[in-house]
């Protein structure tokens, strides 16, 4: 591959994304998320050969874990069981110190910061967004509560269509610095875009996935925390999970982090983040995030979820969305952080398993690849339980 051919116009398309997602600092400005100077959380290794664990693909064909990894453009795959590494694999030139773009897994990281601030009383989840961001009183976010935003039940007009050139999501790409501006009317920053959005229905009706809601949460956190998002996540999360490496966020032209999708981290550090959730929000005897918040991430409003996401619910009837996490099974408490192009943190408390997969699919969304990945993680959890 000719890396010099990678531009803002093509970095997130195949084959270029196979390189760019592992080298984001070379293409888009980033800001570091410091790991601090604390000790690294070491993992004991108790490697198990999971390659031949069997599953049935969504198309009905038989497959193994290795088959799924090989056919879903995997860059890194990690499985933790009872806090031990039982599987760790790298592909496509990824190394243990490689920072990989995790797309919307970023939402679960940003949501964690909000959960910390809610627990401290710095943010009231029942308060209006405009309590913290009066700049939005004339926007579609007027009348929306923090709770509406964290669970993506706002009534904002924001089409999350990655292929529609007129969708609001396309303007977010430009505002965030992920694509070139195309006209003088393009919002010049993430905050400018948020303030320009209009409403299309009442807040609180049902779940609809909107990336921009996460950027509103980040703005609230920055306002009450008095610092940029990257610094706040460093202080409150990354320096407390025993991370081995600094992470990073991509930033817009004003230096604002793309909270909904711009996070970059190593495979093991993503595992450390997931392990914190599996352990009820605790790391090395310190409660990083409140246990109640963690429990909420495992449950959710299944009826609200089914309104627009009946296809996913047909495979997972107890699915929901809660606190910036995708609930896979609200009864068993299985949940996941997900990002386009195949990013995932999968947590199964019953089997005490955390699985992390970072990928570079050729398309933003691929239902078969996503469901096969979920089935693979479920097969591994069943094998380890």
């Amino acid at each position: 591959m000719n890396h010099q051919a990678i531009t803002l116009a093509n970095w997130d398309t195949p084959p270029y994304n196979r390189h760019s997602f592992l080298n984001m600092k070379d293409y888009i400005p980033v800001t570091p998320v410091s790991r601090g100077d604390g000790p690294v959380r070491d993992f004991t290794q108790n490697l198990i050969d999971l390659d031949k664990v069997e599953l049935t693909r969504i198309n009905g064909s038989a497959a193994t874990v290795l088959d799924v990894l090989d056919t879903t453009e995997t860059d890194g795959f990690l499985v933790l069981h009872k806090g031990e590494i039982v599987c760790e694999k790298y592909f496509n030139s990824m190394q243990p110190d490689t920072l990989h773009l995790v797309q919307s897994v970023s939402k679960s990281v940003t949501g964690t910061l909000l959960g910390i601030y809610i627990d401290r009383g710095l943010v009231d989840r029942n308060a209006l967004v405009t309590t913290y961001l009066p700049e939005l009183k004339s926007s579609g976010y007027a009348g929306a509560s923090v709770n509406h935003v964290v669970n993506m039940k706002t009534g904002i007009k924001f089409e999350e269509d990655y292929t529609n050139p007129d969708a609001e999501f396309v303007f977010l790409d430009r505002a965030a610095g992920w694509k070139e501006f195309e006209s003088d009317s393009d919002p010049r920053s993430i905050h400018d875009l948020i303030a320009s959005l209009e409403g299309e229905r009442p807040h609180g009706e049902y779940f609809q996935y909107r990336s921009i809601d996460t950027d509103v949460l980040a703005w609230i956190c920055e306002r009450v925390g008095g610092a940029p998002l990257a610094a706040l996540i460093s202080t409150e999360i990354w320096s407390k999970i025993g991370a081995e490496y600094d992470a990073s966020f991509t930033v817009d032209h004003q230096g604002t982090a793309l909270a909904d999708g711009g996070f970059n981290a190593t495979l093991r550090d993503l595992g450390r983040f997931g392990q914190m959730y599996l352990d009820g929000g605790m790391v090395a005897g310190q409660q990083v995030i409140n246990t109640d918040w963690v429990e909420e991430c495992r449950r959710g409003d299944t009826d609200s979820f089914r309104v627009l996401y009946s296809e996913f619910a047909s495979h997972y009837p107890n699915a929901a969305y809660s606190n910036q996490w995708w609930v896979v099974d609200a009864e068993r408490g299985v949940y996941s952080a997900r990002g386009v192009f195949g990013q995932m943190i999968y947590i199964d408390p019953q089997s005490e398993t955390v699985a992390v997969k970072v990928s570079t699919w050729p398309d933003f969304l691929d239902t078969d690849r996503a469901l096969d990945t979920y089935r693979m993680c479920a097969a591994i959890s069943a094998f380890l339980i």
Side-chain angles (χ1 to χ4, degrees):
M1 183 191 302
N2 179 8
H3 298 161
Q4 294 181 337
I6 301 177
T7 67
L8 278 184
N10 65 23
W11 69 270
D12 58 353
T13 61
Y16 305 115
N17 62 338
R18 298 233 71 191
H19 176 79
S20 61
F21 281 23
L22 286 68
N23 299 275
M24 287 299 291
K25 69 182 187 305
D26 295 339
Y27 305 102
I28 297 174
V30 300
T31 188
V33 177
S34 173
R35 65 162 300 276
D37 56 6
V40 173
R41 178 176 184 171
D42 289 325
F43 288 119
T44 301
Q45 289 198 23
N46 182 19
L47 297 179
I48 299 172
D49 184 3
L50 300 176
D51 287 354
K52 297 180 181 178
V53 173
E54 298 178 341
L55 63 134
T56 302
R57 291 185 187 268
I58 192 62
N59 66 9
S61 65
T64 64
V65 166
L66 186 59
D67 291 335
V68 173
L69 295 177
D70 284 345
T71 56
T72 56
E73 292 79 25
T74 308
D75 298 325
F77 185 61
L78 176 74
V79 180
L80 302 172
H81 182 235
K82 297 183 178 180
E84 295 182 329
I85 294 176
V86 296
C87 178
E88 184 175 15
K89 294 176 178 289
Y90 296 94
F91 309 86
N92 185 34
S93 79
M94 186 170 178
Q95 300 295 321
D97 62 349
T98 300
L99 300 187
H100 196 290
L101 179 67
V102 295
Q103 298 281 359
S104 290
V105 170
S106 311
K107 293 177 172 66
S108 303
V109 177
T110 301
T112 301
L113 179 63
L114 181 77
I116 291 170
Y117 284 169
I118 289 173
D119 182 50
R120 287 188 192 157
L122 295 174
V123 176
D124 178 355
R125 68 186 305 156
N126 295 313
L128 295 179
V129 167
T130 51
T131 301
Y132 306 98
L133 303 174
E135 301 94 325
L136 300 184
K137 286 183 177 179
S138 298
S139 77
Y141 280 101
S145 70
V146 175
N147 201 45
H148 290 148
V149 179
V150 74
N151 289 313
M152 294 194 184
K153 291 185 178 181
T154 63
I156 287 296
K157 185 180 184 298
F158 187 88
E159 186 179 359
E160 192 96 2
D161 185 338
Y162 308 110
T163 60
N164 179 358
D166 297 320
E168 287 80 6
F169 185 85
V170 173
F171 292 96
L172 176 58
D173 266 357
R174 297 175 198 166
W178 280 28
K179 297 293 180 183
E180 298 282 5
F181 293 127
E182 294 197 0
S183 75
D184 292 340
S185 62
D186 286 344
R188 299 335 249 189
S189 71
I190 296 169
H191 290 172
D192 287 345
L193 175 62
I194 292 170
S196 73
L197 294 175
E198 301 176 349
E200 65 177 358
R201 59 180 170 82
H203 301 299
E205 287 189 336
Y206 48 81
F207 166 69
Q208 183 172 358
Y209 190 77
R210 297 183 179 91
S211 288
I212 200 68
D213 282 354
T214 308
D215 296 297
V216 174
L217 296 180
W219 196 355
I220 291 171
C221 288
E222 290 180 326
R223 182 61 52 82
V224 302
L229 181 68
L232 298 174
I233 287 180
S234 168
T235 299
E236 302 293 354
I237 302 170
W238 219 243
S239 64
K240 295 182 178 181
I241 64 170
E244 187 173 2
Y245 296 99
D246 292 350
S248 69
F249 267 107
T250 67
V251 294
D252 69 9
H253 299 282
Q254 293 185 355
T256 301
L258 183 61
D260 71 76
F263 194 63
N264 304 265
T266 66
L267 187 67
R268 282 197 182 189
D269 284 343
L270 292 167
R272 291 178 173 100
F273 176 73
Q275 187 67 42
M276 173 188 68
Y277 266 87
L278 182 65
D279 292 339
M282 185 169 288
V283 180
Q286 180 182 13
Q287 198 73 44
V288 178
I289 178 72
N290 187 283
T291 303
D292 290 342
W293 175 270
V294 175
E295 287 299 313
E296 289 174 5
C297 296
R298 300 172 55 189
R299 317 294 175 190
D301 184 348
T302 56
D303 291 336
S304 171
F305 183 86
R306 290 192 191 102
V307 173
L308 297 180
Y309 300 89
S310 58
E311 181 182 358
F312 188 80
S314 70
H315 298 282
Y316 297 98
N318 296 312
Y321 191 83
S322 180
N323 289 351
Q324 303 282 292
W325 289 81
W326 293 84
V327 181
V328 183
D329 187 338
E331 287 192 359
R332 293 188 64 244
V334 179
Y335 58 117
S336 64
R338 287 174 54 187
V340 292
F341 294 104
Q343 326 312 322
M344 185 179 292
I345 300 175
Y346 179 95
I347 303 175
D348 184 344
Q350 289 191 13
S351 67
E352 300 181 70
T353 301
V354 175
V356 182
K357 187 177 187 294
V358 290
S359 317
T360 37
W361 291 352
D363 298 301
F364 286 91
L365 301 174
D366 188 309
T367 300
D368 286 358
R369 280 177 169 85
L371 293 174
D372 284 349
T373 300
Y374 273 124
R375 289 183 172 214
M376 176 187 68
C377 292
I380 290 171
S381 293
F383 179 80
L384 294 174
I385 200 165

